[in-house]
Amino acid sequence: MNYRTAHPLRSVTLDDVRGAQKMLSGVARTTAMEGSRHLSQLVGAPVQLKCENLQRTGSFKLRGAYVRIAGLLPEERAAGVVAASAGNHAQGVALASSLLGVHATVFMPHGAPLPKVSATREYGAEVRLTGQVVDETLAAAQDYAARTGAVFIHPFDHPDIIAGQGTVGLEILEQCPEVRTILVGVGGGGLVAGIAVAVKAIRPDVRIIGVQAEGAAAYPPSLAVGHPVAVANPATMADGIKVGKPGVVPFGIIRELVDETRTVTEDQLSAALLLCLERAKLVVEPAGASPVAALLASPDTFEGPVVCVLSGGNVDPVLLQRVLRHGMSAQGRYLAVRLRLTDRPGALADLLGVLSGVDANVLDVSHVRTDPRLGLSEVEVELHLETKGPAHCAEVGRCLGDAGYLVIPS
């Protein structure tokens, strides 16, 4: 994404973040910090989850959007604001504008999840569906700003946005004063930059680690060359951190204050989202689960206490269904088997009896009778099973073999 910033480059200070915290009093929630026994056992030190998924609008984005819009001059407010987003930033700008009495126009791409479009409208913004990808939507929003005089509210590349997001860092230090490591998902970099400004000014010993999706990781190459560079065609299900190029303002802060950036795979994101749902009882979007994914990938490399910032929970139900299925498959909780049976009455019932005996839940059954590889009296059956993990999958295979069934390799 080729975001343009129309604001002079200036640094963000601890005083800026503290000022933002006062401004957000009564507006943004002080979100809960939840302990995770499972993750703590895995790491060998206390692990806390900072639940920005429970923030108003479902993500941290309200913080920065409100501070940015509240800081506008009266004539700027009168002209209204405009933003481009497929989800979280849209909702943050919509609610902040409504609370401040400012008209907001939000451009969203065609195909944006319906719940996010509906929520943005319900928060009071005028929504315009434009373009197929966010780059096209962004261009439309910037053209609208140039044409109408509306103030473009950047999702991450502005000091006021970063100061607002930095209030998460102040809350972490208040709720977990003994923290040693903070993990934060990174897209454009506004959240981790703000947290770094706040935390490093008070506790320079705290290690701050940014986490990016492997398919949209612009920060590692950018940090390597010393300036923001774009990643061509960023691809990840974690749309909240799917940003092709770092912001100029956050990049400078991250280069100076953030200790490390790591990347996680789509499989690791799926597993983390599933863990948050099953173990912590928290609905978290893939971007919000990225710190947990990094923790699961290398649990022995973090000094505790560790805080993982769950940045958002606005996950599309259709995506959630796919991600959970993928995550369960990656954990060995699904098993697909193909085998051949004699085409006679009761053959399938016998097979299902074997599976019932080993406590494997059948999700789907398909028959093939017309394959030329089959004998005259044969039928091929493919079953999709829900299992309890890799050991249970192995047990299912052994029981099928003991019962005389030959499983056909996929």
Side-chain angles (χ1 to χ4, degrees), residues 193-276:
I195 289 174
V197 167
V199 172
K200 289 291 191 177
I202 300 171
R203 286 278 311 281
D205 60 304
V206 173
R207 187 169 178 80
I208 298 177
I209 299 175
V211 183
Q212 293 210 283
E214 191 175 70
Y219 267 93
S222 296
L223 291 168
V225 299
H227 60 83
V229 296
V231 170
N233 303 316
T236 175
M237 64 180 168
D239 58 352
I241 54 175
K242 186 181 175 181
V243 177
K245 187 176 182 180
V248 175
V249 182
F251 177 81
I253 296 170
I254 290 168
R255 181 173 58 178
E256 179 183 354
L257 298 179
V258 172
D259 296 281
E260 182 185 354
T261 58
R262 299 190 181 192
T263 61
V264 292
T265 66
E266 300 296 283
D267 283 348
Q268 289 164 346
L269 287 168
S270 295
L273 190 151
L274 183 60
L275 183 143
C276 288

Side-chain angles (χ1 to χ4, degrees), residues 15 39 41 49 52 58 114 144 167-168 183 191 222-223 233 278 324 327 344 375 388 398:
D15 285 344
L39 290 174
Q41 289 177 341
L49 306 175
E52 281 297 288
L114 182 59
Y144 177 89
T167 59
V168 175
L183 295 172
L191 177 61
S222 296
L223 291 168
N233 303 316
E278 285 192 321
L324 291 180
R344 62 171 178 79
K388 301 172 184 177
R398 285 195 301 271

Side-chain angles (χ1 to χ4, degrees), residues 336-342 351 354 374 378-383 396-410:
V337 294
R338 287 192 303 130
L339 38 80
R340 289 178 186 171
L341 307 177
T342 302
L351 171 61
V354 171
L374 295 174
E378 286 183 323
V379 59
E380 186 172 290
V381 176
E382 182 172 359
L383 304 102
V396 170
R398 285 195 301 271
C399 287
L400 288 172
D402 292 344
Y405 293 102
L406 178 64
V407 176
I408 301 170
S410 298

Side-chain angles (χ1 to χ4, degrees), residues 341-403:
L341 307 177
T342 302
D343 193 5
R344 62 171 178 79
L348 180 59
D350 292 343
L351 171 61
L352 296 179
V354 171
L355 294 172
S356 176
V358 74
D359 203 24
N361 185 36
V362 179
L363 300 175
D364 186 48
V365 180
S366 62
H367 289 76
V368 176
R369 285 189 168 89
T370 57
D371 194 308
R373 294 171 297 179
L374 295 174
L376 185 62
S377 60
E378 286 183 323
V379 59
E380 186 172 290
V381 176
E382 182 172 359
L383 304 102
H384 292 88
L385 311 173
E386 183 181 12
T387 66
K388 301 172 184 177
H392 192 204
C393 289
E395 183 184 0
V396 170
R398 285 195 301 271
C399 287
L400 288 172
D402 292 344

Side-chain angles (χ1 to χ4, degrees), residues 19 59 84 94 112 132 147 181 192-193 198 208 250 290 292 295 299 322 356-357 378:
S59 88
Q132 300 301 319
R147 190 172 67 253
T181 305
V192 72
I208 298 177
S290 58
V292 176
L295 206 65
R322 291 206 317 265
S356 176
E378 286 183 323

Side-chain angles (χ1 to χ4, degrees), residues 14-339:
L14 177 60
D15 285 344
D16 293 328
V17 180
R18 284 177 168 156
Q21 188 176 48
K22 291 178 182 177
M23 192 179 294
L24 289 167
S25 177
V27 175
R29 295 172 182 153
T30 298
T31 51
M33 186 84 81
E34 297 287 344
S36 171
R37 184 175 61 85
H38 176 74
L39 290 174
S40 297
Q41 289 177 341
L42 195 65
V43 173
V47 175
Q48 301 280 329
L49 306 175
K50 176 60 172 167
C51 299
E52 281 297 288
N53 59 309
L54 303 180
Q55 184 56 261
R56 296 177 72 177
T57 75
S59 88
F60 70 96
K61 289 287 190 177
L62 171 66
R63 297 174 184 263
Y66 187 91
V67 172
R68 173 74 174 104
I69 297 169
L72 296 178
L73 298 172
E75 57 269 25
E76 291 176 317
R77 290 197 191 193
V81 299
V82 61
S85 168
N88 290 345
H89 181 58
Q91 293 172 70
V93 169
L95 179 56
S97 299
S98 177
L99 293 172
L100 291 164
V102 177
H103 178 74
T105 303
V106 177
F107 286 78
M108 304 183 76
H110 290 288
L114 182 59
K116 295 184 179 182
V117 175
S118 299
T120 302
R121 286 191 172 121
E122 288 170 10
Y123 287 130
E126 176 188 348
V127 174
R128 300 191 180 191
L129 298 177
T130 306
Q132 300 301 319
V133 296
V134 177
D135 276 344
E136 296 172 356
T137 305
L138 174 66
Q142 292 174 326
D143 288 343
Y144 177 89
R147 190 172 67 253
T148 65
V151 178
F152 179 66
I153 305 300
H154 200 286
F156 51 80
D157 205 5
H158 193 282
D160 292 346
I161 294 286
I162 293 170
Q165 321 305 28
T167 59
V168 175
L170 294 180
E171 290 179 16
I172 289 172
L173 293 182
E174 292 164 2
Q175 294 169 310
C176 185
E178 67 279 14
V179 63
R180 298 292 299 170
T181 305
I182 300 174
L183 295 172
V184 190
V186 180
L191 177 61
V192 72
I195 289 174
V197 167
V199 172
K200 289 291 191 177
I202 300 171
R203 286 278 311 281
D205 60 304
V206 173
R207 187 169 178 80
I208 298 177
I209 299 175
V211 183
Q212 293 210 283
E214 191 175 70
Y219 267 93
S222 296
L223 291 168
V225 299
H227 60 83
V229 296
V231 170
N233 303 316
T236 175
M237 64 180 168
D239 58 352
I241 54 175
K242 186 181 175 181
V243 177
K245 187 176 182 180
V248 175
V249 182
F251 177 81
I253 296 170
I254 290 168
R255 181 173 58 178
E256 179 183 354
L257 298 179
V258 172
D259 296 281
E260 182 185 354
T261 58
R262 299 190 181 192
T263 61
V264 292
T265 66
E266 300 296 283
D267 283 348
Q268 289 164 346
L269 287 168
S270 295
L273 190 151
L274 183 60
L275 183 143
C276 288
L277 187 62
E278 285 192 321
R279 296 299 186 97
K281 314 306 177 191
L282 292 167
V283 176
V284 182
E285 62 190 272
S290 58
V292 176
L295 206 65
L296 293 175
S298 346
D300 57 347
T301 61
F302 302 100
E303 181 182 1
V306 178
V307 172
C308 293
V309 179
L310 308 183
S311 58
N314 292 320
V315 57
D316 178 39
V318 175
L319 174 63
L320 179 61
Q321 184 180 41
R322 291 206 317 265
V323 169
L324 291 180
R325 188 183 300 117
H326 183 76
M328 291 179 71
S329 179
Q331 290 187 359
R333 303 266 292 276
Y334 288 134
L335 176 65
V337 294
R338 287 192 303 130
L339 38 80

